[in-house]
Amino acid sequence: MGNQKLKWTSEEEEALKAGVAKYGAGKWKNILVDSEFKHKLANRSNVDLKDKWRNMGGQGSGANSVNSRAKSITNGALTHKPQSSALTLVPIDNVINKPPQSPEGVKNSKKYKEMILEALSSIKDRNGPDFVSVLRFIEKKYEVPQNFRRLLSLKLRKLVLQGTVEKVQKRYKIKHAPLGTKTPLPKQKVARSKSRRDTRCSISTEMEDAAKIAAHKIAEAENKAFVAAEAVKESERLSQLADEADAVLLRLKQIFEQRKEKGDDTSSKIVLFCRRWSQALCLSRLA
DNA sequence: ATAGGGTTACTT
DNA sequence: AAGTAACCCTAT
């Protein structure tokens, strides 16, 4: 009720294009106020215009260049632009090296999911994978559409929500926990219960989630001179920074202390375990 | 006001 | 289930 999506009519689209042609992309308010368009776009806000333009892929301006990057080789690759080819991306290297009608090109094209997994598994950054790295990786290897950044971010988000991949941080914007107020706790997502195999490790299965979610935090900790003897202390500090893994870190802390009481000096082993385990999980998911 | 990340609702 | 288009949220 009340929240129906109202689709853009071709008239509105035309008006938007014309508006951008006259004022330039980004001058949404100007377009909206112009008496030439205000009638046709009466139902739309400046934000709507911006969103619509984004969805249209910034077209309308003369040549609808697909990609800005080096693309001197313009063979018959761009002949097909059905509209639903957005699914797969063709490896750019192959296209360049093996010119024309190479069936290999199509053969080597990959789905978004595969590419993302490929990128994530080949990026070995101590700080954990970040969005830009993934973007760059794929851009370098495949032919990507102009609005690929957004497409990737949407896809990546979906995969994260599905639990297919770990959360990928964005290097330029790591939001820390609010330090006090707020408590954005309700981030629970422990609905992972699909795993049952793997009993080889003597560690309890409940540790699976902990290891997986906290793996990156652990790696971070190690970077900051994380020493086994000070594991608990450090984890306490980190728990303030962690925006999602608070509960998990708490659990790890418990495990640490538990082990310590037993005179078991396995703190560092647990750290290692966490890292290996997360790697193993990643690999197993590729199947 | 704009840009861009994120979410929802609809389509295929 | 994956993809797309419309809509929301918010830092700058």
Side-chain angles (χ1 to χ4, degrees), chain A residues 27 34-35 57 137-138 152 179 248:
Chain A
K27 305 302 183 190
D34 190 308
S35 57
F137 180 92
I138 295 178
L152 177 64
L179 287 168
V248 174

Side-chain angles (χ1 to χ4, degrees), chain A residues 190-204:
Chain A
V190 200
R192 190 103 334 97
S193 59
K194 275 308 183 182
S195 53
R196 67 267 85 166
R197 60 185 154 172
D198 263 309
T199 327
R200 33 180 285 94
C201 284
S202 58
I203 316 259
S204 63

Side-chain angles (χ1 to χ4, degrees), chain A residues 10-174:
Chain A
S10 48
E11 262 211 299
E12 288 174 315
E13 291 181 8
E14 287 309 312
L16 177 54
K17 281 189 185 180
V20 170
K22 279 311 136 199
Y23 290 92
K27 305 302 183 190
W28 316 118
K29 197 65 178 184
N30 286 352
I31 297 174
L32 217 46
V33 166
D34 190 308
S35 57
E36 187 180 352
F37 312 116
K38 65 192 305 179
H39 314 105
K40 302 186 178 218
L41 298 174
N43 294 326
R44 307 297 179 176
S45 72
N46 51 330
V47 176
D48 291 331
L49 300 195
K50 179 264 297 176
D51 285 332
K52 181 56 179 175
W53 187 253
R54 176 169 61 178
N55 284 343
M56 294 194 303
Q59 298 164 352
S61 58
N64 55 354
S65 59
V66 175
N67 196 347
S68 54
R69 198 169 58 265
K71 190 74 184 309
S72 52
I73 304 179
T74 56
N75 15 29
L78 54 156
T79 56
H80 54 61
K81 185 50 180 82
Q83 121 191 49
S84 48
S85 66
L87 228 315
T88 62
L89 297 186
V90 177
I92 187 164
D93 292 334
N94 291 1
V95 172
I96 290 179
N97 294 337
K98 314 200 173 169
Q101 62 303 105
S102 70
E104 300 297 315
V106 179
K107 204 168 185 177
N108 289 331
S109 69
K110 294 198 170 171
K111 310 265 192 217
Y112 278 37
K113 188 174 175 180
E114 300 176 67
M115 292 185 307
I116 291 172
L117 259 25
E118 177 190 347
L120 285 179
S121 62
S122 33
I123 292 174
K124 47 195 70 173
D125 185 346
R126 260 199 248 73
N127 298 323
D130 70 293
F131 179 77
V132 177
S133 298
V134 177
L135 215 208
R136 293 288 126 74
F137 180 92
I138 295 178
E139 274 181 343
K140 209 148 285 181
K141 193 164 183 185
Y142 300 93
E143 193 66 35
V144 302
Q146 195 171 35
N147 55 339
F148 181 69
R149 185 192 172 93
R150 171 145 179 100
L151 294 181
L152 177 64
S153 110
L154 291 176
K155 184 62 186 179
L156 206 39
R157 165 150 280 269
K158 257 190 171 174
L159 291 178
V160 170
L161 290 179
Q162 290 176 196
T164 305
V165 307
E166 280 303 319
K167 172 165 185 160
V168 174
Q169 60 182 336
K170 309 197 167 166
R171 179 172 295 158
Y172 51 87
K173 183 181 173 186
I174 301 174

Side-chain angles (χ1 to χ4, degrees), chain A residues 4 27 53 66 77 82 84-85 115 117 145 176 186 198 208 210 222 227 235 240 253 255 261 272 282 285:
Chain A
Q4 291 280 333
K27 305 302 183 190
W53 187 253
V66 175
S84 48
S85 66
M115 292 185 307
L117 259 25
H176 282 183
D198 263 309
E208 178 179 338
E222 283 193 316
V227 191
S235 77
Q240 287 215 322
K253 192 172 99 183
I255 296 175
E261 284 176 8
L272 275 178
C282 257
R285 290 234 166 85

